[in-house]
Amino acid sequence: MADALEVVVRVVAVLAAFLTLPLLVGQTEHKVMAHMQGRLGPMYAGGFHGWAQLVADGVKFMQKEDVTPAAADRRVFRLAPAVALVPYLVAMVAIPLAPGVVGAELDAGLLFVLAASAVGVLGTLMAGWSSANKYALLGGLRAAAQLLSYELPIVLAASSVAMAAGTLSLVGIGEAWRPWWLVWQAPALLCFLVAGVAELQRPPFDMPVADSEIVFGPYTEYTGLRFAFFLLSEYAGIVVLSALTAVLFLGGWHGPFSDALGWLWTLLKTGAVAVLVIWVRVAWPRLREDQLQALAWKVLVPLALAQLALTGLVVVMIS
Amino acid sequence: MSDRPQPKPGKPGLPGLIKGLAVTAKNLTTPSHTAEYPDVEPSLPPRSRGVIALVQENCTVCMLCARECPDWCIYIDSHKETLPAATEGGRERQRNVLDRFDIDFSLCMYCGICVEVCPFDALEWSPEFEYAELDIKDLLHDKERLSQWFATVPPPPGPEAGAAEPKEVAAALRPARPRRPVRPPAGGADGGAAPPPGEQA
Ligand code: SF4
Ligand code: SF4
């Protein structure tokens, strides 16, 4: 009985985090972007600092007509937003905020989270394929190419930390983390972040979406709530990526008073990484398709491999 | 040629990326100076071209403005009125009376030619610009509406410091010219007219 109750509590807590954190990131993006670009538009709705902008956006999305193109593959087309969104919920289950403060403590947590969040991109591919629109198809193909190139650096960078900690459990990696890893694993951190942002197809890696050349990539035909789900999955993706970065590379719950306030540290570090992801979006221009591929194969993969070799060397020397 | 290396414009690379981050971070921390127009009135220079005001009394229906307007968006109708002679046996006079003076602001391109060309200062620029309408027909301002705008025309700015004095002021301040001596008509049989007062005695 007590076990069942605990499961319910954990599920509800993860669900609550899933429903609030992406919105929080979205709100932050509104405000940070507005400030960085000197815009007043997002500061208007609802009075103080435009707090109601997200609510207004939600209402707007709900009012819009839900259009499915006549030539579309209807079932796939309608399923795609869910396929994009739900994997991040699943991934969040296994990310710990502190030892014990986690939806489900898995032995192979790292593997689970990486696998689950990689499924999210499938939603984009489904959307691009089923829309019966050549822009969407082009965007989908670009997304597929991007997914292929950047999955490798992510996995390599993550396995470097796993190797250093000697475990695939996220809690285990967090426990084994030491501050000097910040230097030791810095290249892996860089690889992980860059490749993660690319996986999310966010600027500067939004080649598949490229609103100015292929209209809106895989999402061209989407309207209303289904489109909003795609947006939401992007923010959920940021949350997962930031939380994972915080736990793997930034020491998660390590910090002053970490016995009582460990979860707060993790949340703060997650927030900092999320702001960085937003900041990069505002500051940098979009990469061209060939630059994008070159960055993945010529820079990130060799860097991640070198990091892996270095990690192996140091691990062997220490033990 | 200077031997100092010139910075290459727009060279991509890591420094550029960091510069981008720095610029956005600076923007983030400094408040923006965007004019919040509907809430805060903009401070316009007095000579801004908002709308054209008409002084009906000054207009003589000479039609210059309507003819010079590149868009032909000024519409003028008038009729002639006959004024009775002011003195007995005098001539009757005719004058133009303005019936219609419309400017279609959906066509007007605010070139200001009409204001420049009017010989009688009947047209003036007013800085008022908030006269958007839901129906394009309502942008045709008739002479009553155009006259109402005149209340919003700011007084003309004074001459610049150190500028030459306006002609009429300069003329009024100039000292009166001394009277010119009148020459006596030559070869008068009766000794001519009386000599000027200065030449007597
Ligand atoms: S401003 Fe120019 S376009 Fe407008 S009414 Fe006068 S002459 Fe015509
Ligand atoms: S130019 Fe001046 S006086 Fe002549 S019709 Fe136009 S407004 Fe009237």
Side-chain angles (χ1 to χ4, degrees):
Chain A
M1 189 62 214
D3 283 355
L5 190 70
E6 196 188 322
V7 167
V8 170
V9 168
R10 281 175 190 271
V11 165
V12 168
V14 170
L15 205 61
F18 180 69
L19 291 180
T20 51
L21 290 182
L23 293 182
L24 209 63
V25 171
Q27 181 82 353
T28 315
E29 179 167 73
H30 264 129
K31 302 307 164 203
V32 169
M33 258 176 99
H35 276 297
M36 283 181 171
Q37 298 173 335
R39 287 185 299 130
L40 292 174
M43 302 292 179
Y44 228 74
F48 174 73
H49 225 251
W51 63 269
Q53 182 61 48
L54 217 56
V55 182
D57 281 350
V59 171
K60 186 185 76 184
F61 278 130
M62 267 190 281
Q63 286 173 341
K64 298 227 164 159
E65 193 185 358
D66 183 20
V67 179
T68 310
D73 190 338
R74 295 184 76 83
R75 293 247 305 276
V76 181
F77 183 83
R78 287 165 168 256
L79 204 61
V83 174
L85 187 56
V86 172
Y88 291 119
L89 171 65
V90 177
M92 263 188 209
V93 167
I95 299 180
L97 289 185
V101 190
V102 53
E105 233 176 291
L106 302 176
D107 286 340
L110 178 58
L111 212 59
F112 179 81
V113 173
L114 285 181
S117 53
V119 173
V121 190
L122 207 59
T124 314
L125 299 187
M126 286 166 65
W129 180 252
S130 65
S131 288
N133 176 323
K134 55 183 171 241
Y135 297 112
L137 182 59
L138 216 59
L141 291 180
R142 282 180 178 182
Q146 190 161 324
L147 170 68
L148 283 181
S149 350
Y150 283 89
E151 195 67 31
L152 199 56
I154 277 203
V155 173
L156 287 178
S159 48
S160 161
V161 206
M163 194 199 265
T167 171
L168 276 177
S169 149
L170 285 174
V171 178
I173 294 175
E175 293 287 1
W177 188 85
R178 294 288 168 269
W180 62 276
W181 285 24
L182 272 180
V183 183
W184 179 31
Q185 298 293 342
L189 167 64
L190 190 74
C191 271
F192 189 82
L193 255 185
V194 171
V197 176
E199 285 273 279
L200 294 174
Q201 296 158 24
R202 277 180 63 84
F205 303 104
D206 61 339
M207 203 63 225
V209 179
D211 51 349
S212 52
E213 47 194 280
I214 48 177
V215 190
F216 218 76
Y219 317 130
T220 307
E221 295 292 349
Y222 281 87
T223 52
L225 268 186
R226 282 178 213 281
F227 181 72
F229 278 154
F230 274 120
L231 284 190
L232 200 62
S233 71
E234 187 176 317
Y235 293 125
I238 298 180
V239 172
V240 169
L241 172 74
S242 313
L244 211 54
T245 311
V247 172
L248 291 180
F249 296 98
L250 303 179
W253 47 90
H254 292 276
F257 316 111
S258 59
D259 295 336
L261 293 177
W263 54 273
L264 193 61
W265 282 115
T266 314
L267 278 183
L268 280 180
K269 289 171 185 174
T270 305
V273 177
V275 168
L276 181 71
V277 171
I278 294 168
W279 187 9
V280 161
R281 170 184 179 170
V282 184
W284 294 348
R286 177 188 302 142
L287 260 68
R288 226 166 41 218
E289 180 72 24
D290 61 320
Q291 293 170 332
L292 189 111
Q293 295 293 341
L295 177 67
W297 293 107
K298 291 187 190 158
V299 179
L300 291 187
V301 171
L303 192 65
L305 284 175
Q307 170 71 60
L308 210 57
L310 175 75
T311 308
L313 211 67
V314 174
V315 167
V316 169
M317 283 199 313
I318 291 176
S319 58
Chain B
M1 243 184 78
S2 87
D3 48 0
R4 223 183 309 157
Q6 298 293 318
K8 284 203 191 103
K11 192 164 173 271
L14 224 45
L17 294 183
I18 290 170
K19 211 168 171 181
L21 288 179
V23 167
T24 41
K26 197 167 134 254
N27 279 356
L28 178 72
T29 44
T30 45
S32 65
H33 299 289
T34 316
E36 299 187 43
Y37 156 57
D39 298 333
V40 182
E41 284 285 311
S43 72
L44 297 171
R47 288 176 56 183
S48 356
R49 299 177 173 191
V51 72
I52 296 169
L54 169 72
V55 190
Q56 283 188 50
E57 300 75 43
N58 285 4
C59 179
T60 59
V61 201
C62 69
M63 292 297 224
L64 276 179
C65 55
R67 268 192 294 167
E68 294 296 327
C69 172
D71 286 346
W72 288 25
C73 62
I74 304 181
Y75 309 100
I76 303 177
D77 284 343
S78 67
H79 66 269
K80 279 202 172 21
E81 234 171 42
T82 309
L83 297 180
T87 54
E88 190 126 4
R91 195 160 64 90
E92 285 183 337
R93 285 177 173 274
Q94 284 192 318
R95 80 180 172 107
N96 285 322
V97 179
L98 198 59
D99 291 332
R100 173 184 182 215
F101 194 111
D102 294 351
I103 296 182
D104 190 348
F105 282 106
S106 66
L107 290 178
C108 174
M109 57 185 190
Y110 302 90
C111 63
I113 289 176
C114 54
V115 178
E116 293 294 323
V117 88
C118 175
F120 304 102
D121 284 348
L123 297 175
E124 299 279 359
W125 279 113
S126 152
E128 288 297 311
F129 62 96
E130 292 170 304
Y131 51 96
E133 302 282 358
L134 291 176
D135 192 335
I136 197 169
K137 281 186 302 204
D138 299 333
L139 282 173
L140 186 81
H141 290 197
D142 59 10
K143 65 180 196 294
E144 274 68 44
R145 185 118 190 247
L146 289 172
S147 306
Q148 281 167 10
W149 290 120
F150 191 69
T152 62
V153 173
E160 272 177 39
E165 233 148 7
K167 283 201 182 68
E168 55 272 28
V169 177
L173 291 182
R174 206 181 300 146
R177 273 196 290 188
R179 278 188 67 141
R180 271 200 300 176
V182 179
R183 223 186 316 151
D190 53 319
E199 290 178 21
Q200 260 173 341

